[in-house]
Each structure stands twice: as structure tokens, then as C-alpha cells.
Amino acid sequence: LEIETSPWNKDVIYVLAQVPNNPQIKMLRYNGTSWSNYSTGIPNEESPMWMAMDYGSNDAIYIGTQTGNIYYRNANQSSWSSYNDANFPKLRINQLDINYQDNTLRAGTYGLGIWKTPLVCPTVSNPVNNSTAIPSTIYEGIDIVASKNTLQNTGPTAFRGTESVTLNPGFVATGSATANRYVKAFIHGCSTPGSSEGLKNGIIVENNEVILQEQ
């Protein structure tokens, strides 16, 4: 039905699927080497219709089904969980999308218009342990504070704060010039307007000329 790639590793692929003879398969994941069933937590009787990936998160994905249920999972979780509330109608979801202007999930239904809800929000205040060099991974928290970093792995280091990201004086990121080794810090909220990954407008400087860019 649909396909997405991880914003942090383009070798990681997610495919939303309907397999008539294997109803337990809702999504497949490719880790760069092999495929696996990524459907744990979604009941067999559910039929997925649409998915939306939050590009400012650690591979957070929302799935909408034919019965009007929404399921959520990110790369740190071992199974899908329900993301419905009592207000959402039990109707087929025709489309899911994320609005980065107000950081909400939008769902288009079959007959009752468009609904919105806040994105899933990190609950940890600061996931970074500053007592040692910070390993390369995706850090999500409310107010992130980092003092140093060593690019130890082949992947990136990303600091996603919902309220703030503080790089203390003296912060240095060190590592060899290997592909996908980089540090990125940004603010990405959950239910309010503000700075966010996937900005629609940005400014690029090329040859001392300021260029407005629309993505």
C-alpha cells in the first residue's frame, strides 16, 4: 500500500501491506540486509489503509485502518499500540498526514471530514548521560542538555527536544569522516506551533546571495 524510508538511515525501509493469505502481516521492515515482519501489536482482523511517518522523530509511524483505528510505534518499541480516543469516529481512514506548522496528526475519514490530534510526545526530560562520551543514536526528550559527543558508530547523533536543546560551552563532536556520522539538534514539538523538523520555508546562502527555499 505504502512505503517509507527512515529519515536517519535510507537503507531502512517500511512497507505497509495487505496480504490476503497472511493476515498477520501488516507491515514489513528492511534493515539494510533482510526483511522482517513489523506487525506485532496490530490485530489480525485490522486492515491498514494509510501510514504517516513523523520525520522529526526516531522513526515514529502512525497507521490508520479500515475500522477507524490508529496505531503508533517508533524504533525503540517492540510492538504497536493504540492511539485512539473516544472522540474519533469509527470510520475508514482514507488518509493520514502530519502538519508540521502546528505539529499535529491529521486523519481524513470516509464521511465525517478531517480530524486532528497531538503527536505522541517524549516523556523523558533529558535522555542524555553527560558523565561519559555520548554514543551516536537518536535522543528524544523535553529539555535536552549535552556537554560532549563522540561519533562512535556508523549512524548519526540527533538531539530532538520538544522544548529546548542546550549544547553546553565546550561541546565538541569528534569522529572520523565516515558516511552518516554527523550531529543534528532541533526543536520538534508535539501539539503547538514552533520550530520543527520538515520546515516548509528556509533560507539558504549561495555565493553571498540569500535564496528563499520552499520544500
Side-chain angles (χ1 to χ4, degrees):
L1 292 178
E2 285 194 276
I3 185 170
E4 287 279 8
T5 58
S6 167
W8 310 108
N9 185 348
K10 295 305 179 183
D11 290 331
V12 177
I13 303 170
Y14 301 90
V15 178
L16 190 67
Q18 290 182 357
V19 185
N21 295 326
N22 293 278
Q24 73 277 10
I25 298 177
K26 314 296 180 183
M27 180 174 288
L28 298 170
R29 181 180 185 271
Y30 182 72
N31 63 5
T33 304
S34 60
W35 290 92
S36 62
N37 187 359
Y38 199 68
S39 310
T40 302
I42 303 177
N44 287 350
E45 61 270 18
E46 290 281 26
S47 295
M49 302 297 297
W50 203 278
M51 75 169 168
M53 174 175 281
D54 183 352
Y55 299 116
S57 68
N58 188 11
D59 288 10
I61 301 175
Y62 301 83
I63 289 179
T65 70
Q66 194 169 28
T67 58
N69 288 316
I70 297 175
Y71 294 89
Y72 168 84
R73 182 177 180 179
N74 65 32
N76 289 328
Q77 295 175 313
S78 59
S79 66
W80 295 85
S81 59
S82 175
Y83 195 58
N84 279 71
D85 61 40
N87 296 320
F88 192 76
K90 294 296 184 181
L91 289 174
R92 187 178 76 196
I93 296 175
N94 284 350
Q95 186 173 355
L96 283 177
D97 203 358
I98 292 174
N99 186 315
Y100 290 102
Q101 297 301 313
D102 62 2
N103 294 319
T104 57
L105 177 70
R106 307 292 180 94
T109 65
Y110 185 73
L112 283 180
I114 300 173
W115 295 68
K116 72 175 183 178
T117 187
L119 299 173
V120 173
C121 206
T123 58
V124 177
S125 177
N126 181 27
V128 179
N129 180 3
N130 285 293
S131 62
T132 59
I134 303 169
S136 296
T137 188
I138 315 301
Y139 296 92
E140 296 183 293
I142 301 170
D143 297 293
I144 291 181
V145 179
S147 298
K148 55 186 173 180
N149 187 73
T150 300
L151 305 186
Q152 300 172 344
N153 302 323
T154 57
T157 301
F159 302 115
R160 177 259 177 114
T162 60
E163 298 291 339
S164 68
V165 176
T166 301
L167 303 181
N168 282 332
F171 177 90
V172 176
T174 60
S176 60
T178 303
N180 293 326
R181 290 191 180 185
Y182 60 88
V183 172
K184 183 176 185 177
F186 59 96
I187 306 298
H188 176 42
C190 305
S191 61
T192 56
S195 177
S196 187
E197 179 74 353
L199 293 175
K200 298 301 180 184
N201 295 290
I203 295 178
I204 296 179
V205 178
E206 291 183 0
N207 301 324
N208 296 323
E209 293 183 354
V210 177
I211 301 172
L212 284 177
Q213 173 181 284
E214 289 189 354
Q215 246 183 338

